[in-house]
Structures are given as C-alpha cells and as structure tokens.
Amino acid sequence: MYKIKLIKLYKHIIVFIRLKCDYASIQNQNQKLTECNEKYKALIFDLQKKIKWYEQFVKLENERFENLFSNKLNKLFTPTQIQLLLNPKKKKVYKWTPEDISSAISLRSVSPKSYRFLRTKKNFPLPGEQFSTMDKLTVLCFDETYISNRICFDKQNEQRVHFEILALYDEHIKQNSISNHSRKRPLDQSSTIDLYPRKQPKLSFCNKKDKQKELDKNIMRYIVLGMRPVSTVEDENFIKIIKGIDNDLQITPNTLKRGNCVLSYRRMTGKHSYDHIADLFQDIFNKFSLLREQIVSIVTDNGSNFVKAFKEFGYDIQDMRDDIDYDDEEDEDDRSNEQTIFLPHHLRCASHTLSLIATTDFSKAVKNSSINRLHNGAIGKCTTLWNMSRRPKSSEIIHDLIGCSLFYPCPTRWNSLYDALSQLLKFKDKLNIIFQHLNVNTSFKDIELVYLDELIILLKPIACALDCLQA
C-alpha cells in the first residue's frame, strides 16, 4: 500500500518538476520577448520621429522650391499657370482667371495655329479652346483705330457727315444758328464739329523729378513713422491711389532697402547698474523723439545688468495699447508729468550667446565629465606656450622655430580660442621641440593632441557661425 502511494507521489513530483522547468523556460522566453518588444518599441518611436522630421523637411523644401520657382516665373506667367507648371500631373485647372482667358484670347487671335502648337506640342499652360456659349457672347476684342477729323457727326439728325458735303453741312448749321435765338454765339464758317474735342493743356509749374523726390520722401515717412511693412508699396490699391493723384509718378519698390545708422555713442560713467542703463536708454529715446511704438526691440549682450534692466522696465507693445484709457484725460496729463521708463522688447545677441556656449557652457560641461583631467592637461600646456609667446626672448625663439608668432586667446574677442588652437595644431610636430628650446619640462602626449584635434572639429561650426553673424 505504501509502495503504491510512494510511486504515485514520485510521479507527481516528477510532473511538478517538469512543470516547474517548463514554467521557468516560458518565463525566460517571456522576459526575452518583453525586452525585444521594448527594443522594437524604441526603434519604432525613433523611426516615427525620423519620418516626421523627413516629412517636415520635404514639406519645407517643396515650399522653398515653389516660392523660388514662382519668383523666377512670375514675370512671364500668371499664378494659375505657375501652379499648373508645378503640378504637371494635374489635368484639370479648377478656375482660370479673367487675366488668363484674356491673354489666351489675344494670343489666339494673332495665330490660332501657333496657339495650338504651344499648348499641345510645347505644353505651355494655356486654357483650352472650348468656351461656353456665355464666354463666346461676352468676349470683346479691341484694336487701335484712327478717326479723321474730316468725318463729323450730326447730333441733330444722328448721321455722319463726310468731307464731300462738309461745305453744305456748315451752311446748314449757319442757317440753323441764325434762326435759333437761344444760341448765344453763332458758329463760324470755318468751324466744324469735332467728335473728340481736344482737352485743354494743363500748365505745369513743378518739375517731374522734384515731384518724384517728394513722393519718395513722403512714402518713406509714411512707412517709417507709421511702422508699416515695406511691402505696402507693392499693394495694388496703394499703387492705384498714387496713380490717381498723378499718372506720371512711379513707385520703385526695389530701391527700398533696409538701412542702419548710429544714433548715439555715449560714455557711461559711474556704476553700470541696471537702473543707470535704463536711464541712459530713456535719454536717447527722448533726444531723438522716439515713441514706444516705433521701437520694435533692442539687442544687447547677455550681461546680467542688461537682462535685469529689461526685466524691471520692459513692456509689451500690445499690453501698453490695451492699458491706455482714452476717456480719462486727467489721468493722461498726470502720467505725462511723471518720468516713467519703459524699455521695449529685449533680444540677446546671438553672437555673444554662441560665444558663451563655446567657452563658459563648454567649460562647465567638461568639469562634470570624465575628460576633465585630459582637457585641463592639454589646455594647460597650450596656455604655457601662449604665456611664453608674450615674453620677448621666448617669442623670438618660437618665431625662429615656426616662422611666426603665436595667437593667444582673449576673453573679449570671439573665436580667439578656436583661432589659437588651430594655429598650434598646424605646428603640432614642433610643439615638443619648442618646449625643449624653452627649457620647459613638459611635452604633449599623443592622446592630448588627438583631443585637441577633436576639440577643433567640435568648435568649428560655432566659429563659422560667429564669423557670419559678426561680419
């Protein structure tokens, strides 16, 4: 009896062990699959980010290409034709403008055969020749004609009078004028009725060049003092206003270019505190009668005194406009008597920001990294050479060995560290020889020179950007 129970218990133990082993293997497989799933999720997420980035890049490139393409062809084609050239697979144009239809009719009226050749063979973006009944009825063609003054029109009898019977017509008019007492002044025998009487000439007492210069000055004041965009002069309605005043005047938008000038160059005495800086800005604004709405922004470096000045006295143009109360005149008089300082929007200098990234921020990042010792050792040896180059005797030795003097970094000069390191690496084979001739018990290691090469590669994009921005 006990044997049978032991055998059964043994079988259950074996089954339990097998199940336990299967469970462990399944659990391991599940863990591996979970890890693979996480990896694939991360991979899919990265691929989705790349896809979105490429989609935005393609969209921006397409927009840039369309803008460039439109700017090149807008002098030859209309906007509808340009859209058709940009989308050659698009067989149907939703709506041709009247300008497209009128130009197409003019071209077809010259030569229908040439029109069909350009449209079918050369694929020029032109409307089709199939017009609706309403289009055919409403199309009007004009041409230049000449009307001789020998042909006159009799308004009373509503008929044309030719040159052959002009004498009889004049006699008829004379008799009618004598019998008609209501006419104040009889017509002369030699007078004829002109269908298109000439306009009385206008006396011009102003030179056209002077009027054009005055117009340019007025437009410039209108744009600058009113803080309006330069594209205002390209607006069709604005051009119509100027043409309505005098058709001889012209607007030349290509001559309107962004300019710059120096308003003030003052020495700042005393403490360079934020409130002193704000007072100095306000004095310059008052001297040149600059309104708050006319100043868009001010660009300064990243100094803490500048940042605090704009933080304490800065304002937003829209907020200032919303806070003005035009009904309470007494409050406005009280405010005008107070000398309140309002500084416009503050922009930090991009060149100075990039320079801080390459110097201060980079030094802070290196201190908390594993390459701190390597960086300090390499830069320390470079600093030793730069300090020795400032001494007359050492500078002569260096000049004899490499044929030039060394640049050395300056905190107030951008890209000075990059330029100094680039010069040293040009003569990296002679750096240890320079140390020997200067009796300095140190030398560059190979890993330090490799690190300096990589540091130059890292700083090069920022240096190139600074050269472009500060030019």
Side-chain angles (χ1 to χ4, degrees):
M1 188 68 181
Y2 291 107
K3 289 182 179 181
I4 295 172
K5 290 183 179 181
L6 288 173
I7 292 170
K8 290 181 178 181
L9 181 62
Y10 179 73
K11 289 180 178 180
H12 288 305
I13 291 171
I14 293 172
V15 171
F16 177 75
I17 293 172
R18 288 177 179 176
L19 291 175
K20 188 175 181 181
C21 294
D22 293 339
Y23 176 75
S25 63
I26 292 171
Q27 192 173 9
N28 291 331
Q29 292 178 1
N30 188 19
Q31 186 176 0
K32 291 180 180 179
L33 292 174
T34 303
E35 292 176 356
C36 293
N37 189 17
E38 294 295 332
K39 290 181 181 179
Y40 285 122
K41 283 183 179 180
L43 181 61
I44 290 171
F45 181 74
D46 294 336
L47 293 176
Q48 288 177 349
K49 288 176 65 178
K50 290 182 179 180
I51 290 171
K52 289 182 180 179
W53 185 85
Y54 282 118
E55 288 177 351
Q56 294 179 357
F57 177 77
V58 171
K59 184 178 179 181
L60 293 174
E61 286 294 320
N62 290 334
E63 291 179 355
R64 187 181 66 84
F65 173 75
E66 290 181 0
N67 293 332
L68 181 62
F69 190 80
S70 301
N71 293 332
K72 294 293 184 182
L73 297 181
N74 59 359
K75 295 181 180 179
L76 301 175
F77 299 99
T78 61
T80 308
Q81 291 175 332
I82 293 174
Q83 289 297 325
L84 189 59
L85 290 173
L86 288 172
N87 302 291
K89 296 182 180 179
K90 189 176 180 181
K91 297 182 180 180
K92 181 180 178 183
V93 177
Y94 290 104
K95 187 177 181 181
W96 289 101
T97 61
E99 181 185 0
D100 300 325
I101 296 174
S102 61
S103 60
I105 292 172
S106 301
L107 180 60
R108 190 180 182 279
S109 63
V110 176
S111 175
K113 188 175 180 181
S114 300
Y115 184 85
R116 288 191 293 270
F117 176 77
L118 290 174
R119 187 174 182 275
T120 57
K121 300 297 183 181
K122 297 298 182 180
N123 295 324
F124 267 60
L126 296 172
E129 299 183 73
Q130 300 296 330
F131 297 103
S132 62
T133 305
M134 183 60 65
D135 292 334
K136 293 180 180 179
L137 292 175
T138 55
V139 169
L140 299 177
C141 294
F142 296 90
D143 196 2
E144 295 180 356
T145 58
Y146 173 74
I147 300 176
S148 176
N149 57 1
R150 297 179 179 180
I151 301 175
C152 301
F153 183 75
D154 186 4
K155 295 183 179 179
Q156 185 176 0
N157 299 321
E158 296 183 356
Q159 62 181 1
R160 289 179 297 174
V161 181
H162 293 273
F163 178 72
E164 291 79 5
I165 60 173
L166 186 58
L168 298 176
Y169 176 72
D170 291 338
E171 186 178 356
H172 173 70
I173 293 297
K174 183 179 179 181
Q175 292 177 359
N176 290 337
S177 62
I178 294 173
S179 61
N180 189 5
H181 299 285
S182 63
R183 185 181 296 275
K184 296 182 180 180
R185 185 177 57 185
L187 294 174
D188 192 9
Q189 293 182 0
S190 61
S191 64
T192 57
I193 299 176
D194 194 0
L195 182 61
Y196 298 100
R198 297 181 180 179
K199 295 182 179 181
Q200 183 179 1
K202 296 181 180 180
L203 296 177
S204 179
F205 298 98
C206 183
N207 192 4
K208 182 179 177 181
K209 293 182 179 179
D210 296 336
K211 293 174 65 177
Q212 185 66 42
K213 290 181 181 179
E214 188 66 23
L215 174 66
D216 294 339
K217 290 181 181 179
N218 292 334
I219 292 176
M220 187 63 66
R221 294 192 193 99
Y222 172 78
I223 292 174
V224 174
L225 298 180
M227 294 296 291
R228 292 173 176 83
V230 181
S231 60
T232 303
V233 298
E234 299 177 358
D235 188 21
E236 295 180 359
N237 297 321
F238 185 82
I239 296 174
K240 288 180 181 179
I241 292 173
I242 303 301
K243 291 293 184 181
I245 298 173
D246 192 345
N247 197 25
D248 295 332
L249 299 177
Q250 296 180 356
I251 299 176
T252 55
N254 294 330
T255 59
L256 296 176
K257 298 180 180 179
R258 186 183 297 275
N260 53 58
C261 64
V262 178
L263 288 182
S264 179
Y265 187 81
R266 295 188 183 182
R267 180 183 178 184
M268 191 173 180
T269 59
K271 187 178 181 180
H272 292 193
S273 58
Y274 73 96
D275 52 350
H276 194 185
I277 292 173
D279 291 334
L280 185 61
F281 278 131
Q282 191 64 35
D283 291 339
I284 296 173
F285 299 161
N286 296 334
K287 180 180 179 181
F288 293 95
S289 300
L290 296 176
L291 301 177
R292 294 193 294 266
E293 294 80 7
Q294 294 176 341
I295 305 172
V296 179
S297 59
I298 294 180
V299 182
T300 67
D301 58 18
N302 292 270
S304 58
N305 50 358
F306 283 108
V307 175
K308 188 174 181 180
F310 285 93
K311 184 178 180 182
E312 295 292 333
F313 301 102
Y315 74 98
D316 188 30
I317 296 177
Q318 188 63 35
D319 295 340
M320 290 297 299
R321 290 175 180 172
D322 296 339
D323 293 337
I324 295 176
D325 187 6
Y326 296 97
D327 296 332
D328 193 0
E329 298 179 355
E330 296 180 356
D331 293 340
E332 290 182 357
D333 295 336
D334 294 336
R335 288 179 201 145
S336 61
N337 295 328
E338 297 177 359
Q339 293 182 352
T340 306
I341 300 174
F342 293 104
L343 297 181
H345 181 63
H346 183 216
L347 292 178
R348 302 191 182 190
C349 178
S351 300
H352 189 241
T353 304
L354 287 176
S355 179
L356 291 177
I357 291 173
T359 55
T360 306
D361 295 343
F362 179 76
S363 300
K364 292 180 180 179
V366 168
K367 287 182 180 179
N368 300 324
S369 63
S370 57
I371 61 171
N372 186 21
R373 178 179 294 181
L374 178 61
H375 174 80
N376 293 334
I379 297 298
K381 294 174 183 178
C382 294
T383 305
T384 302
L385 287 176
W386 293 328
N387 293 333
M388 297 294 289
S389 65
R390 299 182 183 182
R391 302 173 184 175
K393 293 183 179 180
S394 302
S395 179
E396 291 178 359
I397 296 172
I398 294 173
H399 190 279
D400 293 338
L401 291 174
I402 62 177
C404 62
S405 300
L406 292 179
F407 302 145
Y408 50 90
C410 179
T412 58
R413 187 164 62 89
W414 296 335
N415 290 341
S416 59
L417 178 61
Y418 173 81
D419 296 335
L421 289 175
S422 300
Q423 186 191 30
L424 282 179
L425 292 178
K426 290 181 181 179
F427 309 102
K428 60 182 178 181
D429 296 334
K430 298 181 180 180
L431 295 180
N432 292 331
I433 298 175
I434 295 173
F435 280 133
Q436 292 176 3
H437 283 78
L438 295 176
N439 297 323
V440 179
N441 296 325
T442 186
S443 61
F444 280 98
K445 300 178 182 178
D446 293 337
I447 190 172
E448 292 175 342
L449 295 175
V450 173
Y451 173 77
L452 291 177
D453 287 330
E454 293 180 355
L455 181 60
I456 288 297
I457 296 174
L458 181 65
L459 296 178
K460 185 176 180 180
I462 299 178
C464 295
L466 282 174
D467 291 335
C468 295
L469 291 173
Q470 68 183 350

